[in-house]
Amino acid sequence: MKQMEVTIMGQSYLLGCPEGGAETLGRAVAQVDREMCAIRDAGKVKARERIAVLAALNLAYQLAEHGNKPSAPAKAATASNAVPQDLPENELDALMQRLDAALAEDGQLL
């Protein structure tokens, strides 16, 4: 297994990469970087840990909604629209409250 150095939201990471997987890993890194930067650039969320969790939720939702098909990057996400807006308002609010509660208890996820 070879290693690749990647940058996500301005921070470098050294990741293990299976042979022949560099292109796929590069696309995954680019998608994570886009999601995290979009959330950061929206300006409502500052903490890197919260940005990472919101980006992970966005990407997991896209995977669940579309199976394993690649999807276009999400629109700029914010704390108030971190998951697609076709969720009923009360479900979105409940999800955000659970996320806030989880992060309040464990302020350092990464």
Side-chain angles (χ1 to χ4, degrees):
M1 181 174 289
K2 70 177 193 170
Q3 293 188 324
M4 271 180 66
E5 185 172 353
V6 301
T7 303
I8 300 173
M9 215 171 80
Q11 185 169 342
S12 292
Y13 298 90
L14 190 59
L15 305 177
C17 178
E19 292 299 323
E23 185 178 328
T24 302
L25 181 58
R27 285 193 309 267
V29 166
Q31 189 171 14
V32 168
D33 185 56
R34 279 192 304 272
E35 290 288 338
M36 289 183 67
C37 288
I39 293 167
R40 178 199 61 205
D41 294 347
K44 293 188 178 184
V45 181
K46 301 282 188 231
R48 190 175 199 85
E49 294 84 13
R50 284 183 182 256
I51 291 170
V53 169
L54 292 172
L57 284 170
N58 282 344
L59 294 169
Y61 186 91
Q62 289 173 15
L63 283 174
E65 187 176 48
H66 302 293
N68 288 328
K69 294 184 287 187
S71 59
K75 295 175 191 154
T78 66
S80 63
N81 73 350
V83 296
Q85 291 298 303
D86 56 352
L87 281 179
E89 183 80 21
N90 58 343
E91 287 183 37
L92 181 60
D93 289 340
L95 179 61
M96 293 306 298
Q97 288 174 358
R98 285 192 354 236
L99 177 60
D100 286 339
L103 289 173
E105 293 171 11
D106 185 10
Q108 224 174 14
L109 294 176
L110 301 175

